[in-house]
Amino acid sequence: MKDLILHSLKMRKVGTVSVLISIALSTCLCLALGLTYGGVTKGIDLSEQRSGSDLMVVPLSARTSLTDTTLLFTGAPANVYMATVVYDQIASMDGVEKASPQFFSQTLDMGCCSVGEETRLIGVDFATDFVVTPLLSQPIDGLGSNQIIAGGNVSGVDTGKMRILGEEFEIVEVLPDTGGELDDCIVMDIQTARELAKKMPDYDEIFEGLGDPEKLISTVVIDANEDDPPAYATLCSNIRKISGIALVENSEAIDAAQKQLRSVFVLLAVTTVAMVVITLLQLFARFYTCVWDRKAELALYRAVGADAGALRKMIGGEIGILVLGGCVLGLVLGFIGQGMLQKMLIESLDFPFVAYGIGESALLALAIVAAFVLIAFLAVVWPLKQISRINPSLAMQQGDID
């Protein structure tokens, strides 16, 4: 039976290849789009749940080089600084439940560090921090001068140690996925980050006009009560009155990311749906007519002693190889395509991304395969029932067999 099925497929090379390619491409598009959309949606949801802060204050100069989504969702290097007096002003305002300063720095390249690429270093004041600390598996009072916390996407953390500017640091913990900037950052004590910034090449020019890094911060993260809209609006208004700063509202940035997400994926979804519909129509036409188009061949098999069950197994085997073969090829291409699509979207639009786990990815893949198997079954179930009605002698009399 196996040889007969393979021979039948080889005899119909053009149809076999076209169906395999159609199924593979449709499966690839469905999987790549599903994994990417799911990962970005999961990233946005986690970012909203675990952001810790409602507002972020940055120097006005940051607006010229960084978008709100870049600051919130990526670990892109950010050399932006303002005076610590900004933090003092904000911390004393009515409506501020919590406030904490942070100092951004960055590694440069593999020549000075072991992370492999430019990565934002975030100096955190653990005395006031409420963003990083809640994510840790165990509470800490602070970090030593040779200790760091790594984001989940930072490379080179397997050894438990990392070299930065010639100094060796102990990795105290790797943060869970947050969907935000912390995933791609290295966290250390704010004083350690300042000391490293002083040692970094070419940073003298940055601090020349700003002053001593000891008196500078990069951002102030704020926890405010959004449940009281008037008070929240008043607080935002008061913060914006501070000279030389820009206010980032996390909820607005997340909403903007979601709108971008929807607009981009609508276009991708339309393309995918069109491809899937074309493939399903081709599948239905191929499998529904396969019994009638091959009536003469099947009648001949009946004439030489094959029963209806054997013929059903043969047709079912051909269909199974085509559908499952195309799906397997499509799943492989889909996982590769998802990586490319993810990279393109995140680099161009600064989407947060938290990849599906093995279980979630497997469920999505199985759902796609199940959909194609179901369509194939529905397309061929009725013709398969007609096999038992084929009368070999009548088919020969009608000239159906050459």
Side-chain angles (χ1 to χ4, degrees):
M1 182 62 70
K2 176 183 176 182
D3 293 338
L4 187 60
I5 291 173
L6 294 176
H7 175 74
S8 180
L9 291 174
K10 289 179 181 178
M11 292 297 293
R12 298 168 178 81
K13 293 179 181 178
V14 175
T16 297
V17 172
S18 65
V19 170
L20 277 173
I21 292 176
S22 297
I23 294 174
L25 289 178
S26 295
T27 304
C28 172
L29 287 173
C30 289
L31 183 64
L33 185 63
L35 289 176
T36 305
Y37 182 82
V40 175
T41 302
K42 187 175 180 180
I44 290 177
D45 291 341
L46 275 178
S47 181
E48 192 169 15
Q49 294 169 14
R50 297 181 175 177
S51 63
S53 62
D54 301 309
L55 303 169
M56 175 186 285
V57 172
V58 295
L60 191 59
S61 59
R63 291 291 194 181
T64 62
S65 58
L66 299 168
T67 64
D68 293 351
T69 50
T70 301
L71 284 167
L72 289 177
F73 299 142
T74 76
N79 303 118
V80 292
Y81 303 101
M82 56 189 175
T84 55
V85 67
V86 173
Y87 165 69
D88 297 330
Q89 289 177 271
I90 292 173
S92 61
M93 288 184 178
D94 291 336
V96 174
E97 297 187 355
K98 298 176 185 176
S100 183
Q102 295 180 352
F103 183 94
F104 293 167
S105 187
Q106 73 180 79
T107 64
L108 298 180
D109 53 39
M110 292 182 67
C112 73
C113 317
S114 59
V115 293
E117 60 184 355
E118 292 186 340
T119 303
R120 188 185 302 174
L121 300 179
I122 300 181
V124 171
D125 179 8
F126 282 93
T128 58
D129 174 68
F130 61 93
V131 175
V132 177
T133 307
L135 299 175
L136 302 177
S137 59
Q138 296 180 347
I140 62 172
D141 296 327
L143 293 176
S145 59
N146 67 335
Q147 294 180 320
I148 59 175
I149 297 170
N153 295 337
V154 175
S155 59
V157 301
D158 298 339
T159 62
K161 296 184 180 297
M162 183 176 293
R163 294 189 66 82
I164 301 176
L165 291 173
E167 298 184 28
E168 189 172 86
F169 288 82
E170 175 193 0
I171 301 174
V172 175
E173 188 166 341
V174 177
L175 293 174
D177 289 332
T178 67
E181 53 156 354
L182 292 177
D183 291 345
D184 300 289
C185 294
I186 296 172
V187 176
M188 57 181 58
D189 183 78
I190 192 169
Q191 188 59 35
T192 305
R194 286 168 172 156
E195 293 296 330
L196 281 178
K198 295 177 184 179
K199 299 177 182 179
M200 289 185 179
D202 302 325
Y203 268 46
D204 291 342
E205 297 179 4
I206 295 176
F207 297 124
E208 186 175 347
L210 296 172
D212 188 349
E214 300 288 341
K215 300 179 181 179
L216 297 175
I217 56 175
S218 297
T219 183
V220 179
V221 289
I222 304 165
D223 183 18
N225 184 9
E226 290 185 293
D227 295 332
D228 186 352
Y232 180 80
T234 300
L235 173 61
C236 292
S237 177
N238 291 336
I239 292 175
R240 289 190 175 96
K241 292 177 182 178
I242 299 175
S243 176
I245 64 96
L247 179 64
V248 178
E249 295 187 55
N250 293 9
S251 58
E252 288 188 357
I254 290 173
D255 287 343
Q258 289 174 327
K259 289 179 181 178
Q260 280 185 315
L261 175 68
R262 283 192 292 269
S263 61
V264 169
F265 276 92
V266 162
L267 296 176
L268 294 175
V270 169
T271 303
T272 301
V273 169
M275 182 66 193
V276 171
V277 169
I278 292 172
T279 301
L280 293 181
L281 289 174
Q282 184 178 2
L283 281 176
F284 191 85
R286 167 70 185 267
F287 296 153
Y288 187 82
T289 60
C290 68
V291 174
W292 303 114
D293 291 343
R294 297 166 61 182
K295 185 177 180 181
E297 176 190 348
L298 299 177
L300 181 59
Y301 290 142
R302 290 294 306 277
V304 296
D307 60 17
L311 297 185
R312 292 192 188 99
K313 289 180 181 179
M314 184 184 74
I315 297 296
E318 293 179 23
I319 293 171
I321 290 175
L322 288 174
V323 174
L324 295 180
C327 286
V328 169
L329 178 60
L331 293 179
V332 173
L333 295 175
F335 281 110
I336 296 173
Q338 182 268 331
M340 298 172 62
L341 182 59
Q342 170 194 335
K343 183 178 180 181
M344 178 188 70
L345 286 176
I346 293 177
E347 286 183 352
S348 60
L349 298 174
D350 293 328
F351 281 128
F353 187 87
V354 176
Y356 271 173
I358 295 176
E360 293 170 309
S361 300
L363 283 175
L364 178 59
L366 287 174
I368 293 172
V369 173
F372 280 102
V373 170
L374 178 61
I375 291 295
F377 173 77
L378 293 177
V380 79
V381 64
W382 175 252
L384 284 178
K385 288 184 178 180
Q386 307 306 308
I387 287 178
S388 59
R389 300 180 183 179
I390 294 177
N391 187 318
S393 60
L394 182 60
M396 292 178 184
Q397 292 173 8
Q398 292 176 342
D400 289 336
I401 301 176
D402 295 328

